[in-house]
Structures are given as structure tokens and as C-alpha cells.
Amino acid sequence: MLRTPRGGAGPGAAAVDGGAMSIGTVLNVLRDEFPEVTISKIRFLESEGLVEPRRTPSGYRKFSTEDVERLGHVLRMQRDHYLPLKVIREHLDAMERGEAAVLPTVGRQRDGQAAAEPSDAPTAARIGRSELLAAAGIDERELQEWESYGLVVPLEDGVYDAEAVTVAALVSELGRFGIEPRHLRLMKAAADREAGLVDQVVAPLRRHRNPQTRAHAEARTKELAGLTARLHAALVGTALGVRLP
């Protein structure tokens, strides 16, 4: 269940205007359940019509509690079902109209195959090529180009991990500003170096004899990845002389 900010000091307490929240506050709220969500992701979902925050006269976004709950539903359906955004939008719109909307089972399957029955054991999320194309709203030619630059990389069995959807969405969004995939090679190289640094730190945990310590490696990896991503964003903002929300 998503938690909305309460009164008092702290990063999550910036709600103003009768409960309306800035995009930075919304990010803090969502990260309780979705630690990998970013401001760019929230803006992308807004651009795709998944949420419509109101704007102040100066142009700042103000999200209501209902907006945050809707974002949580979107992120949850992406994470748990890997549905295309169009399907998610239609599903949520139908629910808001009071219609009986059955959630389709599109994700976690290979192209042309039915989704596997859920099991008690946790499994890594996978998405097929056609699902990735639909979720990102791109064609085969574009995906091949992105793969040639290493921006999106299929797994050994030809499917993709769930994060490929996020990468594809961001690459597509940057394209609207004239930033082509070839321009993103430096970002990919920097990301690989940052990942290598994180891996170097957690490698001893993965090799530890204690199973609990090895299990802790994943949590530490996510924590370090989040910190490096935030530092990267802060450094970019500093270099450009702007304060990122």
C-alpha cells in the first residue's frame, strides 16, 4: 500500500496546497515500494497519459493523493504483469468508469507462448520481444538500432529483463529532443563503469560462506545502484547549472 506524506519535517513532508505534492515528494513516496523509480519515469508516464497532475501558474506539477495511487497501480502492473502502457491505461480508465475490468495476462512469457502459471518460488521477470516493442511503442528497426549500441540487450534465450522496458521508454523520450541512440553510447559506457564499481563492492558478499550474507548482496546492490544513480543525476545537474527536481 502506498504511503502518502504526513505532517512534520523530512523529505516526504513537502505536500502543499491542501495535500498536493511536488514531483520530488511523489518520488519519495513511490520509492518506498518502487526503489528504482525515477523522476524521468514519472514524467514519461505523464506524457503517455497515465496520470494528469494539475499545474500551477508557474508550470510546476502538483500531484493529488489519487494521482500517486494511480501511479502506484501503473508501476505495480508493469512490475508484476509487464503489460504495455496502452493496456494499463485502458484498464485503469475502465476501472474509473466503474466497469468490470479483468487484468489481461500479457507479461512473463515468450513470444507466442502462454504465460506460465505462478509458482511459490520467486522468478526473474522476463518480457518477450513483441511485448517490448508494444510497451515502448517502437518498431523492429528501432529496436535493432538500440541493440547495436548496447542500449537494450536481450538475454541468452532471446527475451529481455523488465528493466529493458524502462530503458526503451527513456531512449524513446530522449529521441523527442533530437538525442539519437548513437549519442547515448557515452551514457551506456558510464553506466557500465558504475555497475562495475558496485559489483566490485558487493562481490565479497556474493562469495561469502554464510547464505544470509550472500542473500544480503542483492539488497546491497540495489542500495548502491540507487545511490550511484542519484549521484550521477546530481553531477549532471551541477554540470549544467540547474537543480533537478
Side-chain angles (χ1 to χ4, degrees):
M1 185 70 179
L2 289 173
R3 295 182 294 174
T4 53
R6 299 182 180 181
V16 294
D17 296 343
M21 289 170 267
S22 68
I23 193 169
T25 301
V26 172
L27 180 66
N28 290 333
V29 173
L30 292 173
R31 274 184 170 164
D32 285 346
E33 183 177 353
F34 310 99
E36 297 178 358
V37 71
T38 64
I39 284 180
S40 294
K41 175 73 170 181
I42 297 173
R43 287 173 173 165
F44 173 73
L45 293 176
E46 179 190 357
S47 71
E48 293 297 311
L50 274 303
V51 65
E52 297 180 359
R54 70 178 180 86
R55 296 273 187 155
T56 66
S58 55
Y60 288 100
R61 297 172 177 83
K62 291 299 178 183
F63 294 80
S64 65
T65 301
E66 290 74 17
D67 291 330
V68 179
E69 290 290 344
R70 184 178 173 93
L71 283 170
H73 287 310
V74 172
L75 294 170
R76 205 169 291 115
M77 283 190 277
Q78 282 193 312
R79 181 193 64 194
D80 299 340
H81 303 282
Y82 301 94
L83 298 171
L85 292 180
K86 178 181 178 182
V87 175
I88 293 176
R89 182 170 56 248
E90 293 174 349
H91 177 76
L92 291 178
D93 289 345
M95 290 180 60
E96 290 183 351
R97 292 193 299 268
E99 300 175 3
V102 179
L103 189 65
T105 55
V106 177
R108 302 192 182 201
Q109 63 190 53
R110 296 187 184 184
D111 295 341
Q113 296 181 352
E117 293 294 327
S119 63
D120 295 333
T123 57
R126 298 291 185 266
I127 183 171
R129 191 175 186 87
S130 62
E131 295 168 353
L132 177 60
L133 292 171
I138 59 175
D139 56 33
E140 181 67 31
R141 179 189 59 79
E142 290 175 295
L143 181 54
Q144 289 178 358
E145 181 184 11
W146 296 359
E147 289 176 336
S148 70
Y149 291 115
L151 300 173
V152 179
V153 180
L155 303 176
E156 292 182 358
D157 51 2
V159 297
Y160 302 82
D161 62 27
E163 196 62 21
V165 177
T166 301
V167 172
L170 292 173
V171 172
S172 179
E173 187 175 5
L174 287 168
R176 300 178 185 178
F177 297 88
I179 300 178
E180 300 178 10
R182 59 188 176 87
H183 299 144
L184 302 176
R185 287 179 293 183
L186 291 177
M187 296 181 65
K188 177 61 168 63
D192 289 342
R193 288 194 296 270
E194 292 170 8
L197 177 61
V198 172
D199 187 66
Q200 181 180 351
V201 173
V202 300
L205 297 178
R206 294 196 181 105
R207 296 193 298 264
H208 203 278
R209 293 182 179 180
N210 189 324
Q212 292 182 340
T213 302
R214 292 198 300 269
H216 182 62
E218 181 178 358
R220 180 59 57 85
T221 298
K222 290 182 178 180
E223 181 181 6
L224 288 172
L227 288 172
T228 56
R230 289 166 62 186
L231 175 60
H232 182 89
L235 290 173
V236 170
T238 300
L240 294 173
V242 297
R243 182 178 179 181
L244 299 180

